[in-house]
Amino acid sequence: MNRPVRKVAIACLVLFTALLVNANWLQVGQASDLKTQPTNGRQITERLERERGAIVAGDQEIARSVSSNDQYKFLRQYPAGKLYSDITGYYTLFTAAGLERSQDVFLSGDDDRLLASRVTGLFTNKQRRGGSVVTTILPAVQQAAAQALGDRKGAVVALDPSTGAVLAMVTSPSYDPSPLASHTEKTAASAYGVLSGDPAQPLLNRATQQTYPPGSTFKLITAAAALSQGHRPDERVPAPDELQLPLSTVRLPNFDGERCGDGETDTLIHALTISCNTAFAKLGIDLGAETLRKQAEAFGLNTTFPDFPLQQARSVFPAKLDGAQTAQSAIGQYNVRVTPLQMAEVVAAIANGGTEMKPYLVSELRGPDKKTITRTSPKELGKPVSGDVAAELTTMMESVVTSGTGRKARLDGVSVAGKTGTAEHGTGEPPHAWFVGFAPSDAPKVAVAVIVEDGGGEVATGGAIAAPVAKQVMQAALDTP
């Protein structure tokens, strides 16, 4: 074979090899990605011609598939409208969110755990069906949280502190997922365009995807660090009317110019009861940024919760702080940011004797025959404080509710532990209003975090705005069998 022919043969061989590699890569390596492309019409038809499993809360199907009379066989419905949208998410012609997205393989019937059902279907000539996802949500608590929050922007998260189960998760404003599930592309696209373009961000799950300055609710973490270092609730700590911040000309005042203790010192428990800024800022300076950071991270800041099925933002305690920044961080300001889910976990850990449980939203997975395939077992996430420190924090938080800033969270005949927060977040903007707590404080069944965006003010603090919301949620949880 002469040299030119050999070169042509080699070039052809190289091209053929490249073509073979590319074909195999498309068919094997990229098969999964291509299969799930939004523009893959074949896949759209296939999944909408299959009965998708339900998402369940209590005994209610909060997302379900019903027979359709159009070009597809099944249409996704959300019977409760806005009430569960931050949990279910949506399932559209081209995309999905929430549990509809994270649990898609099981809901669609493609999960390996449904293999037996698929094999049975081959012999009985039945169409493949998806499995059901049962949530931990208690409908009565979810309803109470939605009603209590109303039309105000914000979020509510309620947890079972002994297990980590999410009992309620509500954000406002929210949206009705049903129009997004329309089989008419124009209708679905128009509905999504309206929601995604809304400056109020109704598609945003504020409970898990949005971070906020925690304000005075962070004083629980500062107090936990102090108690773990040997301080005691009845110990007197510096609490001046104004605190000169280190290496700064700024003097930190107390809220509304109030006096803590005798104007020079106050007990730690009373400082938390009235939410004394100068006492906790000075305490933060004395403890140091590293001690505060370690305590915050022990509760879960600077990370996200593993395997949680909804999209999360990371709660943050800053990495490098000078003295003034440490003081501000100790009272939940500067660049400290948390999600409502994170703050619910903080108080749940205190309620649970110092043991933090991994939050979870899915309690069971059921096959098309409604039989349980898997059930979630509660898992310990860590122990951010000792049992003794948790007990001391509980006593201090009870004082907040009985005689301090959290009086509006009191329940008749039930002991409540809590902490209010009024978080500044922008010049000229009303502060956010927070309340976190649990009940009964002597045998906790529910831990709750509430934030009302721009809900604070000179008079309307977290105790006035967010505490009544938390009260209704805790009462509903205690009333639910």
Side-chain angles (χ1 to χ4, degrees):
M1 183 181 295
N2 60 38
R3 188 171 182 181
V5 173
R6 189 164 52 247
K7 286 183 177 180
V8 171
I10 292 172
C12 290
L13 180 61
V14 169
L15 291 173
F16 178 78
T17 302
L19 181 63
L20 184 65
V21 169
N22 183 63
N24 278 275
W25 173 243
L26 288 173
Q27 294 179 39
V28 180
Q30 289 188 301
S32 178
D33 289 340
L34 291 171
K35 183 178 179 180
T36 56
Q37 280 291 320
T39 55
N40 189 335
R42 181 179 296 178
Q43 287 302 314
I44 294 171
T45 300
E46 180 182 336
R47 57 192 173 86
L48 292 178
E49 286 185 345
R50 186 186 307 169
E51 186 176 359
R52 189 172 176 83
I55 301 176
V56 180
D59 59 358
Q60 304 174 20
E61 292 186 348
I62 59 177
R64 65 189 180 198
S65 292
V66 297
S67 296
S68 172
N69 295 321
D70 53 27
Q71 72 268 37
Y72 305 113
K73 290 184 178 179
F74 293 98
L75 175 69
R76 204 63 170 161
Q77 286 188 342
Y78 302 89
K82 297 180 179 181
L83 184 58
Y84 298 98
S85 60
D86 291 300
I87 296 163
T88 62
Y90 49 81
Y91 189 74
T92 77
L93 286 170
F94 302 115
T95 188
L99 289 182
E100 292 278 30
R101 180 174 181 174
S102 66
Q103 306 299 308
D104 178 61
V105 175
F106 195 83
L107 290 165
S108 65
D110 291 332
D111 195 288
D112 290 342
R113 287 168 290 188
L114 298 174
L115 179 61
S117 174
R118 295 203 296 269
V119 171
T120 301
L122 291 175
F123 290 100
T124 59
N125 199 30
K126 288 184 177 180
Q127 175 72 26
R128 182 186 299 186
R129 298 162 58 199
S132 296
V133 173
V134 182
T135 70
T136 57
I137 298 296
L138 298 180
V141 183
Q142 184 79 0
Q143 184 69 51
Q147 290 178 346
L149 189 58
D151 294 331
R152 294 169 292 192
K153 284 185 182 180
V156 179
V157 177
L159 303 175
D160 180 337
S162 66
T163 66
V166 180
L167 306 180
M169 180 179 288
V170 168
T171 77
S172 176
S174 192
Y175 64 98
D176 183 353
S178 294
L180 299 173
S182 172
H183 287 172
T184 303
E185 183 177 341
K186 184 177 181 180
T187 300
S190 176
Y192 183 80
V194 170
L195 291 171
S196 61
D198 189 335
Q201 297 181 284
L203 292 175
L204 178 69
N205 184 342
R206 287 166 159 81
T208 65
Q209 293 176 266
Q210 183 66 50
T211 60
Y212 303 91
S216 292
T217 62
F218 191 85
K219 291 172 184 175
L220 292 175
I221 296 178
T222 303
L227 294 170
S228 297
Q229 293 291 313
H231 292 271
R232 291 292 173 261
D234 59 355
E235 176 184 338
R236 297 197 74 85
V237 295
D241 292 338
E242 289 186 338
L243 179 67
Q244 177 69 56
L245 299 184
L247 305 175
S248 171
T249 59
V250 176
R251 298 183 68 83
L252 176 72
N254 289 311
F255 180 77
D256 204 26
E258 68 182 356
R259 168 160 290 193
C260 308
D262 59 12
E264 295 182 1
T265 65
D266 198 359
T267 62
L268 189 56
I269 186 172
H270 188 256
L272 189 76
T273 300
I274 64 171
S275 201
C276 180
N277 285 340
T278 59
F280 279 91
K282 181 63 166 67
L283 196 58
I285 294 170
D286 293 343
L287 290 169
E290 188 61 26
T291 297
L292 287 179
R293 185 178 302 107
K294 287 181 178 179
Q295 185 64 74
E297 290 179 347
F299 277 110
L301 276 76
N302 291 335
T303 187
T304 55
F305 297 110
D307 305 319
F308 196 74
L310 301 181
Q311 187 177 350
Q312 301 176 66
R314 185 170 63 96
S315 297
V316 176
F317 188 88
K320 295 182 179 180
L321 299 172
D322 61 25
Q325 293 163 349
T326 299
Q328 292 171 325
S329 297
I331 60 172
Q333 295 292 167
Y334 186 53
N335 288 333
V336 181
R337 305 282 296 189
V338 295
T339 64
L341 176 61
Q342 173 64 73
M343 289 312 299
E345 276 283 299
V346 169
V347 290
I350 296 169
N352 198 38
T355 299
E356 187 171 357
M357 303 301 292
K358 180 180 174 181
Y360 67 100
L361 185 56
V362 176
S363 63
E364 289 183 28
L365 297 178
R366 295 175 182 168
D369 58 1
K370 307 302 181 184
K371 291 183 179 179
T372 299
I373 293 179
T374 62
R375 182 177 284 112
T376 302
S377 298
K379 293 182 180 178
E380 185 176 319
L381 196 59
K383 197 169 181 65
V385 292
S386 68
D388 289 342
V389 169
E392 290 174 329
L393 284 169
T394 298
T395 299
M396 293 168 67
M397 292 170 69
E398 287 173 335
S399 179
V400 172
V401 176
T402 58
S403 54
T405 58
R407 289 183 180 91
K408 290 195 174 183
R410 289 185 289 191
L411 295 172
D412 292 340
V414 177
S415 57
V416 177
K419 181 69 189 80
T420 59
T422 306
E424 297 177 2
H425 63 96
T427 304
E429 297 290 335
H432 298 321
W434 280 92
F435 182 88
V436 297
F438 56 89
S441 58
D442 53 350
K445 293 183 179 179
V446 59
V448 64
V450 175
I451 183 168
V452 178
E453 293 184 19
D454 302 330
E458 292 184 0
V459 177
T461 64
I465 301 299
V469 176
K471 175 180 179 177
Q472 293 184 51
V473 177
M474 290 188 289
Q475 186 66 68
L478 298 180
D479 291 341
T480 302

